[in-house]
Amino acid sequence: MAIFSADFALRENLEKIVALGDYLAIKQNLETQGMLRFVQEGGESGYSARQLKDAEASAKLTRWIDALSNERKWPIKRFTEQIAPMLAEGIAVAVAPSHNPFTTDTPIRALAQKLAESGERVDATGCLVRHTKIRRIGYGGPSYMHLHQETIRVENEVLFFGKPVLLLDDIARSGATLRACRRLLLDHGAAEVQMLVLGRVWRG
């Protein structure tokens, strides 16, 4: 049972987190934008054409993810257009829950719902539920698999039972949240789970 469509089958790697690209932290993004402007103005950066292309792609992806996080509507359309053709039909689409139990209608969930709507797929975005608040990882909170497994429960497993599942999140730092969610889905009957993030935090 495939999660990615035939054209993107090489991307499937059930043991790893697949990312669309690198997400740049604020300092890295400012440095990258400055370097790109310098090159555009005719400066000699010392970087290869490939490095410049990768930097431009990372800066663009970072803008899209930041706009999505700020609840802009256009990134949902653009990410849907990019990701939907990658996905097989008949899969379930789940999403990693927020650190806050009271924050359920997140931008990444809205994107996941659009991906489910765009084909013959199942909306399983409400199946992973955070029941206990944890400190946000981006603000220095801990991120361990057992912490997430202890603070997330599974509901309505009938939606994904026996199906391949795409597990979506916006940004991966340590990857502990996604790996904990993957384990929970498999333990509750998912046939297989592919973790996919919009951006992996760039560590240099």
Side-chain angles (χ1 to χ4, degrees):
M1 288 183 284
I3 294 170
F4 286 119
S5 64
D7 290 342
F8 295 89
L10 290 176
R11 284 215 172 194
E12 196 157 302
N13 189 331
L14 302 178
E15 298 301 319
K16 293 188 177 181
I17 299 171
V18 174
L20 298 184
D22 290 328
Y23 176 82
L24 306 176
I26 293 174
K27 181 175 182 293
Q28 296 161 345
N29 198 19
L30 290 173
E31 291 172 351
T32 301
Q33 297 284 6
M35 179 264 285
L36 291 172
R37 281 197 298 272
F38 179 72
V39 172
Q40 289 168 358
E41 291 167 3
E44 292 293 331
S45 69
Y47 291 98
S48 68
R50 175 62 184 271
Q51 287 172 316
L52 290 171
K53 184 178 179 181
D54 289 346
E56 191 170 28
S58 296
K60 177 182 177 181
L61 180 62
T62 299
R63 287 195 302 272
W64 284 25
I65 294 172
D66 287 344
L68 179 70
S69 298
N70 290 325
E71 301 186 358
R72 301 289 298 275
K73 299 300 182 185
W74 61 265
I76 292 180
K77 182 175 184 295
R78 293 189 185 179
F79 277 124
T80 300
E81 290 171 347
Q82 182 177 358
I83 300 172
M86 296 168 56
L87 304 179
E89 301 293 345
I91 67 171
V93 182
V95 67
S98 167
H99 69 289
N100 187 343
F102 298 103
T103 304
T104 56
D105 294 327
T106 59
I108 192 66
R109 183 178 182 183
L111 171 58
Q113 289 171 330
K114 284 291 184 185
L115 292 172
E117 291 173 7
S118 67
E120 295 296 323
R121 306 182 186 109
V122 177
D123 180 355
T125 58
C127 291
L128 293 167
V129 178
R130 181 83 65 179
H131 58 77
T132 302
K133 185 176 182 178
I134 63 171
R135 189 177 176 193
R136 191 171 180 180
I137 299 166
Y139 291 99
S143 184
Y144 307 108
M145 273 190 66
H146 70 84
L147 172 66
H148 296 295
Q149 288 174 319
E150 291 168 359
T151 58
I152 297 172
R153 68 172 177 266
V154 177
E155 297 182 352
N156 297 318
E157 56 259 45
V158 67
L159 292 175
F160 62 81
F161 191 88
K163 290 182 171 60
V165 179
L166 177 78
L167 174 60
L168 186 68
D169 205 356
D170 51 1
I171 298 169
R173 291 179 173 86
S174 70
T177 307
L178 283 163
R179 291 189 177 92
C181 290
R182 179 177 184 265
R183 185 72 264 159
L184 287 167
L185 290 166
L186 290 171
D187 287 347
H188 285 78
E192 53 194 25
V193 179
Q194 175 67 69
M195 301 171 286
L196 175 68
V197 293
L198 306 182
R200 181 185 287 276
V201 174
W202 188 76
R203 299 182 183 278

